[in-house]
Amino acid sequence: MAVTEAHNPLVGENTCGSLLKKLQEIWDEVGESDEQRDKMLLQLEQECLDVYKRKVEQAATSRAQLLQALSDAKLELSSLLSALGEKSSGSVPESTSGTIKEQLAAIAPILEQLWQQKEERIKEFSDVQSQIQKICGEIAGNLSLSDNPPTVDESDLSLKKLDEYQSELQELQKEKSERLHKVLEFVSTVHDLCAVLGMDFFSTVTEVHPSLDDSTGVQSKSISNDTLARLANTVLTLKEDKKQRLQKLQELASQLIDLWNLMDTHPEERRLFDHVTCNMSASVDEVNVPGALALDLIEQAEVEVERLDQLKASRMKEIAFKKQAELEEIFARAHVEIDHEAARGKIMEMIDSGNVEPAELLADMDNQIAKAKEEALSRKDILDKVEKWMSACEEESWLEDYNRDENRYNASRGAHLNLKRAEKARILVNKIPALVDTLVAKTRAWEEDHGMSFAYDGVPLLAMLDEYAMLRHEREEERRRMRDQKKYHEQQSTEQDTVFGSRPSPARPVSAKKVGPRANGGANGTPNRRLSLNAHQNGSRSTSKDSKRDNHRLSAPVNYVAMSKEDGASMVSGTEPIPASP
């Protein structure tokens, strides 16, 4: 090596060869022995080897460090790519291309780019997770959760994971929007209910949660489960309160109307409580006017009802007689006879004695009125048919009078109207038998259901119908006798004409016996609306059997038709004796 360095022209004066030459010169001058010289040269050689060895070791260490750095860089690169979700990078050099430093130099910018990308990705994750954490805290009702920043998992910063967080955030934002909508609906409902009930909305809603005040922004309102549950409970409580108040107000309105009707309260005084009675038949959802169910309004109605109750007690007799008059009117329309004087006397006695409470007396009278209405309703169908029967009997009576009129066919004023009425009357009279049969069947069914006799103005209706059937039967018998008498007179006249050559005119009967419930009219010709039966008829018919009643009915003709013109002209009065037929 010394020789090589000595012949190297590029080596300066202070080279190993020059230094070795100077050392030999010094040894020559000193006179060092060869042995000492060899020893020192060996020492120098060993020292040189040590230096080379150290340099080699240092170079090896540096190479190992560079390889470790390259390995760490590749590992970090792989970790970053995995964390960011990147499968491969086209700019990453192959592990065998170039020197170690070249490989490190090629990886360094890629690592720097990935580190920057990782920082941006971490920020995105942190933002999304912070929003998720905030909304979860709002839903849970624990806003302190958003005070601590979320911990980002740096081992998975892939776009897929970020999309999952963003999807979760969107779901939470949607749920927050729905919850906020529910909260606003609940708050609006509470506002409307408080307005109707006359309650303070601010204190009611802030009692649920302070953030529900109108001054608070929409996005700042509490949407927690507890807030929603308390709002729902508040709405239910207010609705139940509204229902109870409306029921109470309707009861008071009903009492007011009843008391007004009892005491004939002036309309002007009634109008003072229109705000109470206007909701008389309203449903809970229909009452939306502010203050319509306020407590002071209900208290006002209660005070008025109490005042009217006290006034009613002082006017008890007047009110009781008014209800008695209503009861008597119901019975009168139903043609039920009652002892008016006895009933009124009993009312006076009960009020004067003070043994019965006014409310109990009125309640008892109301009960009697309700029962009377039920009885009147059960009698209505039969009474309607009785009216038709009586009207038909009136037409039958008129038709008989019309048939007895000798001048009915004269061209007098109104003759054509009477003729038309007679035709209609004949049609109506023909329907009387069926109407009577229907009446009998319905009356018997009614009596079986109620276990009592059906009376019309105090007279049993079946007795009236039986008497009518007997009178019709008697009239038919009388009509046949008159026809036989007429034939006898005509035969006598024919024989006289044959013997004497002349024919006297036969005597005309005066009148016929009228049949029907109006047959027993007064002296002025006004028909009575009820068939009057004497005591003998009532007693005999009430004790007779149903078979006897049926026999009477069967003895009548099948068709009660109107009289012919000739028969009407030949009828005689029911009070005159009828000559026997030859």
Side-chain angles (χ1 to χ4, degrees), residues 25-50:
E25 288 177 356
I26 293 172
W27 285 343
D28 290 337
E29 290 179 4
V30 173
E32 289 286 344
S33 62
D34 293 336
E35 181 181 357
Q36 189 68 28
R37 290 183 181 185
D38 292 336
K39 184 179 179 180
M40 292 182 66
L41 287 176
L42 288 173
Q43 185 179 0
L44 285 175
E45 185 177 0
Q46 185 63 41
E47 290 179 359
C48 286
L49 288 174
D50 292 339

Side-chain angles (χ1 to χ4, degrees), residues 299-313:
E299 292 174 357
Q300 180 185 2
E302 289 177 342
V303 171
E304 180 65 13
V305 169
E306 184 178 358
R307 184 185 72 84
L308 292 176
D309 278 334
Q310 296 175 355
L311 183 62
K312 178 184 70 175

